[in-house]
Amino acid sequence: MKQDMIVILDLGSEENSALARQIRAMGVYSEIHPHDISLAALRALPNVKGVILNGGPNNVVDGKRIDVADEIYASGIPTVALDHPTDRCRTLEAARLREFLFETCACEANWNMPNFIDDQVELLRRQIGDRKVLLALSGGVDSSVVAALLIRAIGKQLVCVHVNHGLLRKGEPEQVVRVFREELGATLIYSDSVDRFLDKLDGVSDPEQKRKIIGAEFIRVFEEEARKLDGIDFLAQGTIYPDIVESGTKTNKIVKSHHNVGGLPDDLQFELVEPLKYLFKDEVRACGKELGLPDDMVYRQPFPGPGLGVRCLGAITRDRLEAVRESDAILREEFANAGLQGKVWQYFTLIPDTKSVGVKDNARSYEWPVILRAVNTVDAMTATIEHIDWAVLDKITRRIVTEVKGVNRVCYDLTPKPTGTIEWE
């Protein structure tokens, strides 16, 4: 591995991600690990040059103040502790951090995408050998970058599976098949599993349960497809760092489970391949650019693994799901017409499981509201609201209430992250 590494040990900080990004911005690779990591596990990590003990308000677990193992203090690995507010990364002077990285730890500023890709190609070849990998290819940014990285590493040993679970955006299954099978020449299996997923989700309203059902069912579909093939030993996933962080650690409470983190079954039949799991979203895009993926793929709208299943709030019904799909298509079309497609990081619609009284065709209506959301972010850990021109919102509203069946009201969500997450579920 070419990159030197600084390990951040989580002693209850809420700013681990910010600190990791600050270190990477200085050209040094960094990872976040739990406070109770053993010295053997720490030494097993490649090229560890130093450790930062990052304390904070969540440093009491089960009534006890947490700390790292004594053996880490005695290891001789350069260590610095940040355990009071004035030392937290938002106020840590860059000069002091630079001194720790480049003088105390003697790190080289060699964290960059070409080096990352070279390292991952080497690691993937070492892990996979001459065996085959099954990839869940949604066509989104994360899975597309994983596909490109795996193609570089193992070529035809990669088999892509595109599952249409009925929770994709309008026209998306057709686009994925066209781009990857017809234009990029990938080995692509298309699985029409709409009824299977929607039947499993029937009557399920809890968002965590929905995510876990979708994640587990994905694995089952892949297992079935793998049994039709020879020599499939690995499952590749587009897991990225925010997925892991938001799914909870020992000292940070869970924000929400991600289907590729919290929804995997215990009896998984594959070894996982997750080459992007320590990258933030902007780094995933930079990786895709370095791999030569086109801009319209690298910078396309982020889309959650559970798809529209977490935008059809509460128990999913087919008619409300279709209303989400149609309203989302209108929103994306009008944002493109207004020149917002490359300006706003993520925008989508969602429909809650509630109705309101309205007036349609000079008569009382009792139908759903559509909620619009448009946010900007760098790493998906925090987000701000895009201030949309009223004329654009007026046109979107008019089209949605006119063209989407079962809808009589449109609202705009003005909540940043925090306090809200980007998705509602």
Side-chain angles (χ1 to χ4, degrees):
M1 182 169 182
K2 295 182 175 63
Q3 292 99 346
D4 293 334
M5 185 195 296
I6 294 294
V7 174
I8 300 167
L9 296 185
D10 178 13
L11 284 163
S13 176
E14 295 176 342
E15 299 181 1
N16 293 311
S17 297
L19 179 58
R21 294 185 58 77
Q22 185 181 7
I23 294 169
R24 292 186 192 187
M26 294 180 178
V28 179
Y29 182 61
S30 61
E31 287 183 5
I32 304 164
H33 287 271
H35 71 281
D36 56 357
I37 189 173
S38 67
L39 179 59
L42 182 63
R43 289 198 185 281
L45 297 172
N47 289 6
V48 174
K49 291 299 185 74
V51 172
I52 295 178
L53 311 179
N54 204 28
N58 300 316
N59 63 350
V60 176
V61 176
D62 296 330
K64 296 180 180 179
R65 186 181 176 89
I66 58 174
D67 200 352
V68 299
D70 291 340
E71 61 181 357
I72 290 179
Y73 285 112
S75 67
I77 300 173
T79 302
V80 66
L82 308 180
D83 55 7
H84 54 87
T86 58
D87 257 348
R88 292 170 72 186
C89 65
R90 66 168 176 264
T91 56
L92 182 65
E93 292 183 5
R96 181 184 171 198
L97 185 55
R98 282 187 177 278
E99 180 181 3
F100 179 71
L101 298 181
F102 300 113
E103 295 181 25
T104 305
C105 301
C107 292
E108 293 184 31
N110 53 14
W111 161 243
N112 55 56
M113 273 305 143
N115 281 349
F116 171 82
I117 290 169
D118 287 346
D119 284 343
Q120 287 301 317
V121 166
E122 179 183 335
L123 291 170
L124 287 167
R125 288 173 178 168
R126 191 184 308 162
Q127 179 186 11
I128 296 163
D130 60 357
R131 292 176 288 175
K132 292 182 181 179
V133 179
L134 196 63
L135 170 64
L137 181 58
S138 69
V141 177
D142 301 335
S143 65
S144 297
V145 174
V146 169
L149 192 53
L150 283 167
I151 288 169
R152 177 171 293 193
I154 61 170
K156 293 296 185 180
Q157 294 166 239
L158 174 66
V159 178
C160 299
V161 176
H162 177 61
V163 178
N164 182 2
H165 51 20
L167 306 171
L168 295 171
R169 290 171 287 201
K170 188 174 183 178
E172 212 158 39
E174 296 83 0
Q175 181 190 39
V176 169
V177 171
R178 184 182 70 253
V179 170
F180 285 92
R181 181 185 286 167
E182 300 175 13
E183 297 179 14
L184 299 182
T187 302
L188 176 64
I189 297 169
Y190 174 78
S191 173
D192 184 348
S193 304
V194 174
D195 290 338
R196 173 174 177 165
F197 275 82
L198 295 186
D199 288 348
K200 285 271 186 180
L201 291 164
D202 186 37
V204 178
S205 60
D206 180 75
E208 288 296 296
Q209 191 179 356
K210 286 199 292 186
R211 285 177 179 271
K212 285 179 166 58
I213 288 172
I214 294 167
E217 201 62 21
F218 254 109
I219 300 300
R220 298 309 178 203
V221 172
F222 294 141
E223 286 177 336
E224 291 169 14
E225 295 298 339
R227 282 196 289 270
K228 302 174 187 176
L229 305 166
D230 293 325
I232 300 289
D233 296 311
F234 296 91
L235 174 66
Q237 292 197 134
T239 307
I240 66 174
Y241 222 5
D243 298 342
I244 295 172
V245 173
E246 288 193 338
S247 292
T249 66
K250 293 180 177 69
T251 57
N252 284 310
K253 294 180 180 179
I254 187 171
V255 177
K256 60 185 176 186
S257 294
H258 288 261
H259 79 286
N260 49 357
V261 179
L264 298 175
D266 294 333
D267 59 343
L268 182 67
Q269 300 297 308
F270 306 110
E271 184 178 338
L272 287 179
V273 174
E274 299 176 301
L276 307 181
K277 68 179 179 180
Y278 290 121
L279 292 188
F280 294 98
K281 194 71 178 191
D282 58 315
E283 295 170 336
V284 173
R285 296 187 194 280
C287 183
K289 284 286 290 181
E290 186 67 30
L291 288 165
L293 290 177
D295 283 357
D296 61 353
M297 184 175 293
V298 170
Y299 296 108
R300 72 179 302 173
Q301 281 280 290
F303 195 55
L308 300 182
V310 293
R311 295 177 182 173
C312 186
L313 306 184
I316 297 170
T317 60
R318 295 189 183 226
D319 51 358
R320 193 155 50 90
L321 179 62
E322 195 58 30
V324 175
R325 196 179 342 262
E326 291 296 326
S327 61
D328 178 78
I330 291 171
L331 176 67
R332 288 187 289 126
E333 181 181 334
E334 292 304 329
F335 265 44
N337 292 340
L340 297 172
Q341 190 169 30
K343 179 185 175 186
V344 184
W345 187 80
Q346 187 173 13
Y347 41 94
F348 55 89
T349 66
L350 52 99
I351 299 182
D353 188 14
T354 187
K355 293 183 177 181
S356 68
V357 176
V359 178
K360 267 191 173 180
D361 300 324
N362 296 316
R364 179 186 185 275
S365 69
Y366 190 58
E367 297 176 309
W368 304 300
V370 168
I371 299 169
L372 312 180
R373 187 135 171 85
V375 299
N376 288 310
T377 183
V378 172
D379 57 13
M381 301 306 295
T382 62
T384 58
I385 300 303
E386 177 69 17
H387 293 186
I388 306 299
D389 185 81
W390 282 113
V392 176
L393 288 175
D394 285 345
K395 186 175 182 182
I396 292 168
T397 299
R398 185 166 58 252
R399 284 196 60 191
I400 287 176
V401 296
T402 302
E403 300 175 27
V404 181
K405 185 178 180 181
V407 169
N408 66 359
R409 194 180 295 269
V410 176
C411 306
Y412 191 58
D413 181 358
L414 294 170
T415 313
K417 177 182 180 179
T419 54
T421 53
I422 294 175
E423 301 286 344
W424 272 45
E425 289 190 342

